[in-house]
């Protein structure tokens, strides 16, 4: 039997609420109460599963009337989103995070499956194969930013 973690369940729940809408606003405490978990569990799910690399923009407002807004972003409809994605990559990115970016580009139909496969191969640990993990992540970030810049100017 395939057992899902509570994080997977919360992620799926939030995605089901989002459905076909562009954005949702939730209250962290209400979701935590719904799943009988601590609010930090909700923060963890949002911070790790609803990232810009995965095609989401998250904003929050703290306080009594506070909320968390999760917005699905379309990458090429807004060049600013690509710029934010490039900023989020920064000067270093792990293989897993880079692969998440590529999956999002494919899911949003920014790139074809073939282009995605080529990008995955180019950014893989096996291809970069450096003995220095930090140098490998820096090279991966430079390559991915170059790919994104090329995509941005092609549209």
């Amino acid at each position: 039997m395939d057992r899902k973690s509570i994080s997977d369940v919360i992620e799926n729940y939030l995605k089901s609420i989002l459905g076909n809408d562009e954005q949702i606003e939730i209250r962290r405490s209400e979701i935590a109460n719904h799943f009988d978990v601590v609010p930090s569990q909700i923060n963890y799910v949002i911070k790790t599963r609803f990232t810009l690399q995965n095609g989401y923009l998250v904003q929050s407002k703290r306080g009594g009337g506070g909320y968390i807004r999760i917005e699905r972003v379309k990458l090429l409809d807004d060049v600013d989103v690509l710029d934010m994605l490039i900023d989020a990559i920064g000067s270093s990115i792990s293989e897993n995070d880079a692969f998440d970016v590529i999956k999002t580009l494919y899911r949003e139909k920014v790139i074809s499956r073939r282009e995605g496969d080529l990008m995955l191969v180019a950014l893989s640990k096996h291809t970069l194969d450096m003995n220095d993990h930090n140098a490998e992540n820096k090279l991966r970030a430079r390559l991915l930013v170059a790919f994104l810049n090329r995509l941005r100017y092609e549209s």
Side-chain angles (χ1 to χ4, degrees), residues 1-151:
M1 179 187 281
D2 212 15
R3 290 186 47 111
K4 289 188 172 192
S5 72
I6 188 67
S7 294
D8 292 336
V9 173
I10 294 168
E11 174 189 11
N12 290 334
Y13 176 77
L14 292 173
K15 285 181 177 177
S16 73
I17 292 173
L18 186 58
N20 292 328
D21 295 334
E22 293 300 313
Q23 72 179 20
I24 57 171
E25 286 185 6
I26 60 167
R27 298 210 187 293
R28 182 179 69 147
S29 60
E30 290 174 7
I31 302 297
N33 288 338
H34 179 77
F35 288 100
D36 195 28
V37 296
V38 294
S40 62
Q41 180 73 38
I42 306 305
N43 285 350
Y44 170 79
V45 170
I46 290 171
K47 190 173 191 170
T48 60
R49 311 289 176 95
F50 293 89
T51 63
L52 191 55
Q53 291 91 335
N54 288 326
Y56 298 94
L57 185 62
V58 176
Q59 299 172 320
S60 63
K61 179 182 176 228
R62 301 212 183 267
Y67 61 85
I68 297 174
R69 179 180 298 139
I70 301 172
E71 181 178 354
R72 190 183 342 251
V73 292
K74 290 195 171 41
L75 294 179
L76 285 184
D77 286 352
D78 189 353
V79 175
D80 290 340
V81 175
L82 281 177
D83 289 336
M84 288 172 33
L85 188 54
I86 288 168
D87 286 343
I89 291 167
S91 63
S92 179
I93 190 168
S94 70
E95 182 180 42
N96 286 340
D97 287 344
F99 283 18
D100 284 344
V101 170
I102 294 166
K103 285 188 267 185
T104 299
L105 293 170
Y106 174 72
R107 185 179 68 239
E108 295 295 325
K109 297 178 175 60
V110 174
I111 59 173
S112 69
R113 182 179 186 112
R114 180 177 166 87
E115 291 166 331
D117 287 343
L118 292 171
M119 291 170 76
L120 290 172
V121 168
L123 299 175
S124 73
K125 287 180 185 179
H126 179 72
T127 301
L128 298 180
D129 195 22
M130 302 176 87
N131 289 329
D132 182 346
H133 185 67
N134 290 330
E136 182 181 302
N137 287 344
K138 287 179 181 184
L139 177 58
R140 183 177 294 111
R142 286 198 318 267
L143 289 167
L144 185 54
V145 166
F147 290 150
L148 292 174
N149 278 322
R150 179 68 180 123
L151 289 171

